[in-house]
């Protein structure tokens, strides 16, 4: 054990020395960035796969005994449960990530996610086992939520805490980019099996993408186990006074509540954008008669653009500041909200395509690129995993978990204008929050 620990410390020292040179193009940094990207992509494949299935499958498989509108609502309610569990995962994994290290928690979160997703693929339907099926679905969704709640913080900090100061935004974007990459993979896999299995898709075809998770998790584990612990955490462990706190969550709530609140509101912007367009919007388009495979394919195209814009926006945030890029994205989202929703509800493939490419690809990408580094830079090393995870996963719960349900309810109550007002309000709140926080781009992290 001592030899292993010394070896890991040596690896971390090498990475720290390389990072000090200001380059991300070294063997160890490439491995770290690949681990953050691939690991996040696999976990978000699992998580977004559920969101896609909730929009087009689960209402017919697990809630087929309900009217169409209520079945969609119930399906999105199970989706929301996973988002509710994400802050819990962020707190639990953040606690141990701040105490025993980022790497160990990343490995554990991946195992949890793989188990939950694979079991969903094996779950009998309501017609087969009755109410046990939706109950089990909810419990497995909770497991997914806890796992992904711990994933982002670890993956983001693994990249940020290894990276040189001038490239922290771009490095952290590799963890963020795993989200749209996972969405691309999940969407294309569902689209492929939807086309291949045809009428059998609702019978058994939808299960195959969930079962494929087991193979993806195995690949991710091989990559993730090879990375070293971050030099910032190693430094914290080696300090004579050992500034680690026994209860990071209490430290965060006592000394950093403002940072949690403001970064949570800022992150809600892109989550609401994501939920309205890629979850609720997909359901609206399909229910309006737009071809299911076409909708999924355009969703994948938009995710590719999100991926590109995410990296570009992250690089620009290293140059011009996180807040400036986030403000540009927020203003764009406010201006475009109503026009995009009108296109989304047009009942045409081109209307949906334009809405999701601009909204998901451009607006969300601008917000998504800087957000990881922006949040992490607001917290000190000793509680960074807990603080960043609490803010980010809290935003996921409020901004994405409940948004499809809220949008479905607003459509029943006031139609598309009501949904537009809600979306704009969330974007305005995020914009104000960004303007009230300090710029962290040039900050020396302690």
């Amino acid at each position: 054990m001592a030899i292993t620990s010394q070896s890991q410390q040596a690896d971390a020292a090498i990475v720290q020395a390389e990072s000090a040179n200001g380059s991300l193009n070294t063997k160890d940094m490439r491995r770290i960035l690949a681990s953050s990207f691939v690991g996040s992509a696999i976990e978000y494949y699992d998580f977004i796969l559920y969101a896609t299935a909730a929009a087009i499958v689960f209402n017919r498989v697990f809630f087929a005994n309900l009217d169409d509108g209520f079945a969609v609502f119930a399906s999105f309610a199970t989706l929301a449960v996973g988002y509710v569990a994400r802050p819990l995962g962020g707190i639990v994994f953040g606690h141990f990530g701040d105490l025993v290290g980022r790497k160990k928690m990343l490995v554990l979160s991946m195992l949890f996610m793989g188990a939950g997703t694979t079991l969903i693929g094996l779950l009998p339907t309501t017609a087969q086992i009755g109410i046990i099926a939706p109950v089990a679905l909810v419990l497995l969704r909770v497991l997914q939520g806890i796992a992904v709640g711990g994933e982002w913080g670890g993956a983001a900090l693994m990249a940020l805490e290894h990276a040189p100061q001038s490239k922290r935004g771009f490095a952290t974007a590799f963890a963020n980019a795993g989200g749209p990459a996972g969405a691309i993979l999940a969407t294309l896999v569902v689209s492929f099996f939807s086309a291949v299995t045809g009428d059998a898709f609702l019978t058994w075809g939808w299960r195959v993408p969930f079962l494929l998770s087991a193979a993806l998790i195995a690949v991710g584990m091989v990559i993730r186990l090879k990375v070293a612990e971050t030099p910032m955490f190693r430094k914290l462990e080696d300090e004579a006074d050992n500034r680690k706190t026994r209860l990071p969550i209490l430290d965060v709530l006592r000394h950093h509540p403002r940072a949690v609140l403001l970064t949570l509101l800022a992150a809600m912007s892109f989550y609401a954008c994501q939920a309205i367009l890629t979850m609720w919007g997909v359901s609206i388009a399909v229910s309006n008669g737009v071809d299911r495979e076409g909708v999924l394919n355009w969703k994948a195209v938009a995710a590719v653009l999100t991926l590109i814009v995410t990296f570009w926006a992250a690089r620009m945030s290293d140059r011009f500041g996180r807040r400036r890029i986030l403000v540009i994205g927020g203003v764009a989202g406010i201006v475009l909200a109503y026009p995009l929703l009108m296109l989304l509800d047009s009942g045409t493939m081109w209307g949906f395509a334009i809405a999701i490419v601009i909204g998901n690809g451009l607006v969300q990408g601008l917000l998504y690129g800087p957000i990881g580094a922006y949040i992490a830079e607001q917290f000190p090393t000793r509680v960074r995993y807990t603080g960043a995870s609490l803010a980010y996963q809290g935003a996921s719960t409020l901004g994405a978990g409940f948004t499809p349900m809220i949008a479905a309810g607003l459509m029943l109550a006031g139609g598309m204008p009501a949904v537009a007002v809600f979306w704009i309000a969330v974007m305005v709140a995020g914009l104000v929050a960004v303007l009230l926080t300090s710029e962290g781009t040039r900050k020396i992290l302690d």
Side-chain angles (χ1 to χ4, degrees):
M1 291 295 293
I3 294 175
T4 302
S5 177
Q6 290 174 1
S7 175
Q8 290 175 340
Q9 289 179 359
D11 289 343
I14 292 171
V15 175
Q16 187 173 21
E18 291 175 335
S19 296
N21 295 327
S23 175
L24 297 178
N25 190 25
T26 66
K27 178 181 178 181
D28 290 292
M29 279 305 306
R30 287 194 298 269
R31 179 185 296 167
I32 289 160
L33 297 181
S35 170
S36 291
F37 177 78
V38 173
S40 290
I42 292 171
E43 293 225 21
Y44 277 93
Y45 164 86
D46 290 0
F47 202 73
I48 299 300
L49 178 62
Y50 187 103
T52 304
I56 62 176
V57 175
F58 290 163
N59 57 315
R60 301 183 185 182
V61 174
F62 294 106
F63 304 101
N65 56 327
L66 301 177
D67 293 336
D68 287 346
F70 288 104
V72 171
F73 185 85
S75 183
F76 282 138
T78 68
L79 175 69
V81 167
Y83 282 96
V84 171
R86 285 176 68 160
L88 175 61
I91 292 170
V92 173
F93 280 87
H95 172 85
F96 290 103
D98 283 327
L99 291 181
V100 302
R102 290 41 167 139
K103 176 180 175 178
K104 293 176 183 176
M105 294 303 102
L106 281 174
V107 171
L108 193 59
S109 71
M110 182 169 283
L111 289 174
F112 275 27
M113 178 61 83
T117 305
T118 303
L119 289 173
I120 289 173
L122 298 172
L123 187 63
T125 67
T126 302
Q128 294 171 317
I129 60 173
I131 196 172
I132 295 175
V135 170
L137 181 67
V138 169
L139 292 176
L140 292 172
R141 181 59 175 172
V142 168
L143 181 61
Q144 277 194 325
I146 290 173
V148 83
E151 162 65 25
W152 178 85
L157 298 194
M158 186 64 73
L160 179 133
E161 292 182 352
H162 275 293
Q165 178 182 324
S166 62
K167 293 181 174 63
R168 289 197 304 241
F170 186 67
T172 308
F174 279 81
N176 282 353
I184 294 168
L185 183 60
T187 303
L188 290 178
V189 170
V190 172
S191 179
F192 173 79
F193 282 101
S194 175
V196 169
T197 59
D199 293 339
F201 180 71
L202 292 177
T203 305
W204 61 268
W206 66 271
R207 297 180 182 277
V208 182
F210 284 86
L211 298 177
L212 286 175
S213 172
L216 294 175
I217 293 295
V219 173
M221 289 293 291
V222 170
I223 298 173
R224 185 151 281 180
L225 287 169
K226 292 182 178 180
V227 300
E229 184 57 82
T230 75
M232 288 185 188
F233 183 82
R234 290 291 187 192
K235 180 182 176 183
L236 190 66
E237 283 192 313
D238 294 339
E239 287 179 347
D241 59 351
N242 198 342
R243 292 182 297 128
K244 289 190 294 182
T245 178
R246 293 183 64 184
L247 291 173
I249 184 63
L250 293 183
D251 191 321
V252 168
L253 295 178
R254 286 173 181 170
H255 301 113
H256 308 283
R258 185 175 186 271
V260 171
L261 177 61
L262 293 178
T263 53
L264 184 154
L265 289 174
M268 275 180 61
S269 297
F270 82 84
Y271 265 123
C273 181
Q274 178 193 75
I276 286 174
L277 291 164
T278 66
M279 299 176 197
W280 176 76
V282 166
S283 178
I284 286 292
V286 172
S287 65
N288 283 343
V290 182
D291 178 66
R292 183 175 62 199
E293 283 76 30
V295 165
L296 292 173
N297 289 336
W298 274 110
K299 181 184 174 185
V301 170
V304 172
L305 182 57
T306 305
L307 197 63
I308 295 170
V309 176
T310 291
F311 280 116
W312 178 83
R315 186 176 288 279
M316 292 302 101
S317 79
D318 281 329
R319 182 178 301 179
F320 301 111
R322 321 282 184 232
R323 294 167 74 238
R324 184 173 298 181
I325 304 302
L326 289 170
V327 166
I328 292 172
V331 171
I334 292 168
V335 172
L336 293 171
Y338 188 74
L340 292 178
L341 287 173
M342 291 299 100
L343 287 168
L344 199 65
D345 196 37
S346 66
T348 66
M349 181 64 75
W350 284 112
F352 174 82
I354 294 170
I356 200 165
V357 166
I358 295 176
N360 185 226
L362 180 61
V363 176
Q364 185 184 337
L366 286 171
L367 295 169
Y368 203 35
I371 200 70
Y374 162 80
I375 294 174
E377 287 165 348
Q378 303 299 317
F379 300 94
T381 302
R382 70 179 186 277
V383 295
R384 186 171 294 127
Y385 202 140
T386 300
S389 295
L390 182 61
Y392 189 86
Q393 303 305 341
S396 76
T397 299
L398 299 175
F402 290 108
T403 291
M405 249 192 338
I406 292 172
L410 289 173
M411 276 294 287
L412 294 174
M416 197 62 75
V419 179
V421 170
F422 166 73
W423 189 6
I424 290 171
V426 173
M427 299 297 289
V428 169
L431 184 60
V432 171
V434 168
L435 294 173
L436 290 175
T437 50
S438 60
E439 178 59 65
T441 307
R442 305 290 177 252
K443 185 185 295 184
I444 302 298
L445 301 182
D446 59 347

